[in-house]
Amino acid sequence: MDKHKRFSDFAEEASPMDGTKLKIEDVINKEILVINCKIKESKYSKTNSSKCLMLQFEMDGNRYVLFTGSSVLLEQMEKYKDEVPFLTTIKKVDRYYTFS
């Protein structure tokens, strides 16, 4: 009898990111452990970026998510997404946010 593949054997379903939603301002200057990220088209066209970064992280033993259109954070995550998980601190420099 033929052995047929199951969809679940090869499908890589993106599981939703769980965690309490925080604003980026709540995370500034605090060490976080980035554990996952997704980059999607933004549903808000008023921002400078057409993309939205969804960041899943742990802080103080709890899991959180945040959403941002920060072009600097987007560029950093696109460049270093293969390094996840990593510890970082989000800093506000003038009018933008950056990992440090």
Side-chain angles (χ1 to χ4, degrees):
M1 191 166 158
D2 289 354
K3 170 119 172 85
H4 297 286
K5 289 189 228 175
R6 291 193 174 276
F7 181 77
S8 60
D9 292 338
F10 59 84
E12 292 183 18
E13 284 297 305
S15 58
M17 291 189 201
D18 63 320
T20 304
K21 188 175 174 183
L22 285 182
K23 293 184 175 165
I24 197 165
E25 294 84 15
D26 299 328
V27 184
I28 301 297
N29 299 323
K30 296 179 183 173
E31 188 173 69
I32 62 172
L33 174 65
V34 174
I35 55 176
N36 200 356
C37 75
K38 283 184 190 168
I39 298 172
K40 300 170 125 180
E41 288 301 308
S42 176
K43 51 186 170 184
Y44 302 105
S45 57
K46 65 182 179 186
T47 59
N48 295 338
S49 174
S50 63
K51 295 181 181 176
C52 175
L53 171 64
M54 181 178 181
L55 203 61
Q56 184 181 39
F57 61 95
E58 291 179 356
M59 182 175 68
D60 301 325
N62 297 307
R63 187 168 287 191
Y64 300 97
V65 292
L66 68 78
F67 300 86
T68 181
S70 165
S71 56
V72 175
L73 292 179
L74 276 158
E75 286 172 22
Q76 290 175 320
M77 282 311 299
E78 286 176 329
K79 187 172 182 180
Y80 300 113
K81 65 182 174 231
D82 293 338
E83 301 297 326
V84 171
F86 60 82
L87 287 168
T88 188
T89 303
I90 298 175
K91 302 276 188 191
K92 185 171 185 180
V93 180
D94 294 325
R95 293 170 48 189
Y96 68 89
Y97 299 102
T98 183
F99 291 120
S100 67

